[in-house]
């Protein structure tokens, strides 16, 4: 198995996306803003824990050629960045063009362009790959976009913290299924067997859930954050709270959302009610599921990637 230079592969993925943007027409402020988002994303990437490289690692694990999977990885990266931007609008945490009074609209517009960019990247998949495989890739990307939008829609239409079942349904739609697609797509490009594709989907799904749970944990225990709108520690605490405790938690949650400031009282309540411990337990449960989905010998690149990501998470826990 030839192990590619991951830094070079990342550069190829981003160069493809930027070239597609530049080839859509004369350069405008919009092109500049989309490219700025891509360049910022690239500068923050660590190849050893990069979500972008999941299709590449899966492809190489099956003996596939890197050049054939670069367009798929580019499509996945554009989709993932778009989802992040949409979330930032919903969570009122817009980092893009914050000095503009129309930052929300501009962010949505850039995110919409990135969704189209994902589809254009798929058009660059080599014709040497079977037409049926290319059709499956395109269809699966569109299906996941619709499913992720469904998860976002549930959040928009239910303005208060959800129950646990609804929480995990949203996470499955917005994170589990997209990450399953990312890993599966790499296997598809390499011509993997159905058994391998099942392993990859299971691995990717649990990684996607794991990523969201780790984000929830970081957000909730940070000194400056109170968790995003539907943070698991809070959702769990509400599920076990008495009537009086639930009323207190909802009051503190509403106040923290309105003031956009951390509520230490709420975080202390959630911690005492087991919300943090429950979230950590779910993190390691999905980690075990992800690891168990991998073949001992053939999938070591994906295993090393996962262990690197978990090591980074463990370090962030130690720094709290």
């Amino acid at each position: 198995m030839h192990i590619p230079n991951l830094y070079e592969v990342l550069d190829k993925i981003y160069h493809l996306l930027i070239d597609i943007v530049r080839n859509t027409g004369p350069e405008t402020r919009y092109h500049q803003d989309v490219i700025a988002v891509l360049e910022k994303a690239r500068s923050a990437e660590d190849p050893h824990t990069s979500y972008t490289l999941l299709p590449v690692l899966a492809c190489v694990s099956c003996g596939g050629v890197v050049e054939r999977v670069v367009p798929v990885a580019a499509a996945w990266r554009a989709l993932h960045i778009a989802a992040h931007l949409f979330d930032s609008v919903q969570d009122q945490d817009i980092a893009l063009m914050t000095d503009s009074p129309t930052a929300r609209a501009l962010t949505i517009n850039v995110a919409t362009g990135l969704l189209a960019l994902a589809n254009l990247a798929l058009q660059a998949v080599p014709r040497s790959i079977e037409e049926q495989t290319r059709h499956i890739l395109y269809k699966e990307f569109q299906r996941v976009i619709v499913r992720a939008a469904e998860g976002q829609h549930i959040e928009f239409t239910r303005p208060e913290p959800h129950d646990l079942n609804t929480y995990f349904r949203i996470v499955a739609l917005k994170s589990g299924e997209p990450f399953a697609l990312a890993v599966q797509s790499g296997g598809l490009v390499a011509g993997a067997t159905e058994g391998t594709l099942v392993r990859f989907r299971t691995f990717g799904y649990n990684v996607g859930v794991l990523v969201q749970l780790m984000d929830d944990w970081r957000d909730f225990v940070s000194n400056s954050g109170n968790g995003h709108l539907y943070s698991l520690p809070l959702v769990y605490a509400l599920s076990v709270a008495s009537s009086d405790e639930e009323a207190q938690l909802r009051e503190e949650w509403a106040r923290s959302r309105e003031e956009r400031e951390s509520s230490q009282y709420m975080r202390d309540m959630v911690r005492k009610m087991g919300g943090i411990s429950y979230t950590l337990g779910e993190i390691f449960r999905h980690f075990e599921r992800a690891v168990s989905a991998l073949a001992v010998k053939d999938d070591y690149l994906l295993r090393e990637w996962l262990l690197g990501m978990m090591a980074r998470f463990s370090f962030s826990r130690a720094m709290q």
Side-chain angles (χ1 to χ4, degrees):
M1 180 189 303
H2 172 67
I3 308 301
N5 184 312
L6 299 182
Y7 290 92
E8 291 180 359
V9 177
L10 271 177
D11 286 340
K12 289 180 181 179
I13 291 168
Y14 280 97
H15 285 160
L16 174 60
L17 290 171
I18 291 172
D19 286 345
I20 293 173
V21 174
R22 288 173 172 158
N23 289 333
T24 58
E27 183 175 346
T28 65
R29 171 63 186 273
Y30 181 68
H31 290 95
Q32 293 170 1
D33 286 341
V34 174
I35 290 173
V37 168
L38 291 171
E39 289 177 339
K40 181 178 180 181
R42 173 63 186 94
S43 67
E45 289 253 27
D46 177 358
H48 302 291
T49 54
S50 165
Y51 303 152
T52 306
L53 290 174
L54 281 172
V56 177
L57 297 177
C59 181
V60 173
S61 294
C62 299
V65 179
V66 169
E67 285 69 21
R68 291 162 62 111
V69 77
V70 164
V72 175
W76 154 241
R77 187 51 176 152
L79 172 59
H80 191 252
I81 296 174
H84 176 73
L85 292 179
F86 283 128
D87 273 342
S88 72
V89 172
Q90 181 174 355
D91 294 340
Q92 300 181 27
D93 184 24
I94 301 172
L96 177 67
M97 298 167 284
T98 54
D99 59 334
S100 171
T102 56
R104 288 169 62 89
L106 291 172
T107 302
I108 291 171
N109 203 35
V110 168
T112 302
L114 285 165
L115 289 180
L117 192 59
N119 286 323
L120 290 171
L122 288 174
Q123 300 302 311
V125 172
R127 291 293 182 259
S128 58
I129 294 176
E130 291 184 1
E131 182 179 357
Q132 182 180 6
T133 299
R134 287 186 276 116
H135 176 73
I136 292 172
L137 285 168
Y138 188 80
K139 182 179 178 179
E140 286 299 299
F141 266 85
Q142 309 321 303
R143 185 187 65 81
V144 163
I145 289 172
V146 173
R147 297 277 286 172
E150 177 187 349
Q152 197 84 9
H153 202 71
I154 295 171
E155 289 190 326
F156 276 126
T157 54
R158 300 187 183 186
E160 294 189 354
H162 304 316
D163 57 79
L164 285 171
N165 287 337
T166 303
Y167 171 88
F168 280 108
R169 179 186 172 200
I170 292 171
V171 172
L173 291 169
K174 293 180 58 179
S175 194
E177 292 188 19
F179 273 81
L181 168 68
V183 185
Q184 174 191 358
S185 64
L188 281 168
V189 170
T193 64
E194 182 57 32
T196 298
L197 293 177
V198 170
R199 290 204 318 272
F200 283 0
R201 285 194 294 268
T202 301
F203 173 80
Y205 176 86
N206 282 283
V207 165
V209 176
L210 179 62
V211 165
Q212 182 58 62
L213 300 185
M214 290 192 298
D215 283 348
D216 276 14
W217 182 86
R218 290 190 192 96
D219 285 347
F220 209 89
V221 302
S222 68
N223 292 328
S224 59
N226 54 11
H228 66 76
L229 192 57
Y230 307 107
S231 182
L232 180 57
L234 175 61
V235 172
Y236 174 80
L238 288 169
S239 74
V240 298
S242 66
S243 297
D244 289 343
E245 289 171 333
E246 180 179 354
Q248 284 182 296
L249 282 171
R250 290 188 179 276
E251 181 180 350
E252 288 297 318
W253 176 84
R255 182 182 297 114
S256 67
R257 297 302 298 178
E258 181 178 346
E259 298 176 357
R260 300 189 65 186
E261 292 182 0
S262 173
S263 170
Q264 185 63 48
Y265 178 74
M266 181 180 70
R267 293 211 309 274
D268 288 344
M269 280 190 69
V270 167
R271 188 182 296 274
K272 289 177 181 178
M273 297 170 71
I276 302 300
S277 297
Y278 175 81
T279 301
L280 286 173
E282 286 296 301
I283 286 171
F284 288 102
R285 186 165 72 91
H286 284 280
F287 168 75
E288 288 291 338
R289 287 182 175 181
V291 170
S292 298
L294 298 176
V296 174
K297 180 180 179 181
D298 296 335
D299 302 334
Y300 77 89
L301 286 178
L302 290 169
R303 182 180 293 102
E304 289 297 315
W305 176 89
L306 178 59
L307 291 175
M309 188 182 71
M310 289 302 293
R312 188 174 65 177
F313 171 68
S314 298
F315 176 76
S316 69
R317 286 181 60 199
M319 295 299 290
Q320 294 296 330

